[in-house]
Amino acid sequence: MDRNSPVPLYFQLSQQLEAAIEHGKLAPGSLLGNEIELAGRLGLSRPTVRQAIQSLVDKGLLVRRRGIGTQVVHSQVKRPLELSSLYDDLEAAGQKPATRVLLNTTTEADAEVAAALGIAEGAEVALVERLRLTHGEPVAHLRNHLPAGLLKLETAELEETGLYRLMRSAGITLHSARQAVGARAATVEEGQRLDEPEGAPLLTMQRTTFDDTGRAVEFGSHVYRASRYAFEFQLLVRP
């Protein structure tokens, strides 16, 4: 702790604890001890420790349990806005990703899917729906359409790895994507699927991905738990 810094001590502590959670030094289920013990160990006042812990409770990273103490729940997934798969990002962050395939079939492209993939409305497309989990908890519902015949999608493989890895293994070179990020309230069905109450905030993302020939190879429509997930932007000033 830098006591000469203008940054409040409680904020310094909360940032250090959050970093420890994100990097796996404090794993889900870990106990922090009570406020008195922490204050004594760190040489801080009890109100300072209480304020730091409360800020992480408000973020959903910690929970206070009667008779147990303050416990780490999970870290929020912070994903950079770049052309990468959620599976790869979670794995790189040590989040232990898992996948539950809800649907793996073919269907007819509606107007939205057809426009995104540059095909005729009603044309056959592959449709994959998955629930992505970390540490056994749902994080996102993923719905992807791909041109028919692009690659063979086996359910067992989809449950073992990410879609982009399978595409690269099939010789598809991913080059660029067009993406839109939004937010809305969870429906009853979405809440049940993602373990959130109806009306909880959800992040949405639609992405059309292109290969190195300019062909659209995937249209994704995804929904993420805002309590567990965030997009990170890097903003640059134009010269």
Side-chain angles (χ1 to χ4, degrees):
M1 298 294 168
D2 184 357
R3 297 179 184 274
N4 296 319
S5 171
V7 179
L9 290 175
Y10 87 88
F11 189 76
Q12 292 184 48
L13 176 58
S14 69
Q15 290 291 94
Q16 290 184 21
L17 290 173
E18 184 171 354
I21 293 171
E22 288 184 357
H23 293 103
K25 294 178 181 178
L26 288 173
S30 300
L31 292 173
L32 290 187
N34 60 46
E35 293 172 1
I36 297 176
E37 292 174 349
L38 280 174
R41 189 162 70 245
L42 298 173
L44 299 172
S45 68
R46 187 175 178 185
T48 295
V49 172
R50 183 185 300 117
Q51 193 172 3
I53 289 175
Q54 186 60 49
S55 69
L56 298 182
V57 170
D58 293 340
K59 287 185 176 182
L61 302 181
L62 300 176
V63 64
R64 289 188 173 99
R65 301 190 187 281
R66 187 182 299 275
I68 297 177
T70 303
Q71 192 171 27
V72 177
V73 181
H74 48 63
S75 60
Q76 187 184 51
V77 178
K78 294 183 178 179
R79 184 181 184 186
L81 278 179
E82 58 186 32
L83 186 50
S84 60
S85 74
L86 176 58
Y87 189 96
D88 291 341
D89 290 337
L90 292 173
E91 191 172 67
Q95 292 287 334
K96 299 180 181 178
T99 304
R100 186 181 306 154
V101 176
L102 306 178
L103 193 63
N104 182 11
T105 187
T106 58
T107 187
E108 294 183 355
D110 61 19
E112 181 181 39
V113 172
L117 294 178
I119 58 177
E121 186 174 350
E124 185 179 83
V125 291
L127 169 60
V128 177
E129 285 193 34
R130 295 160 295 158
L131 194 64
R132 183 60 45 75
L133 306 96
T134 63
H135 302 291
E137 294 187 21
V139 174
H141 174 247
L142 314 175
R143 182 179 173 90
N144 299 83
H145 289 87
L146 296 85
L150 182 71
L151 75 162
K152 189 174 182 180
L153 295 171
E154 299 287 351
T155 296
E157 291 181 329
L158 287 166
E159 291 185 337
E160 288 296 323
T161 189
L163 178 60
Y164 281 7
R165 286 190 187 178
L166 293 176
M167 295 172 75
R168 291 187 180 102
S169 296
I172 299 168
T173 302
L174 304 178
H175 179 265
S176 61
R178 184 171 59 246
Q179 180 168 285
V181 177
R184 59 176 172 79
T187 64
V188 173
E189 182 181 4
E190 288 169 336
Q192 292 173 344
R193 184 184 291 133
L194 295 172
D195 197 21
E196 292 280 0
E198 179 185 1
L202 299 177
L203 294 172
T204 64
M205 186 268 281
Q206 285 192 330
R207 174 190 283 180
T208 303
T209 305
F210 304 89
D211 68 7
D212 57 348
T213 70
R215 172 184 56 165
V217 293
E218 175 243 356
F219 173 62
S221 184
H222 304 167
V223 180
Y224 305 85
R225 296 173 66 182
S227 63
R228 294 291 315 277
Y229 193 90
F231 290 105
E232 285 194 333
F233 298 79
Q234 182 178 14
L235 306 178
L236 301 176
V237 176
R238 289 186 178 181

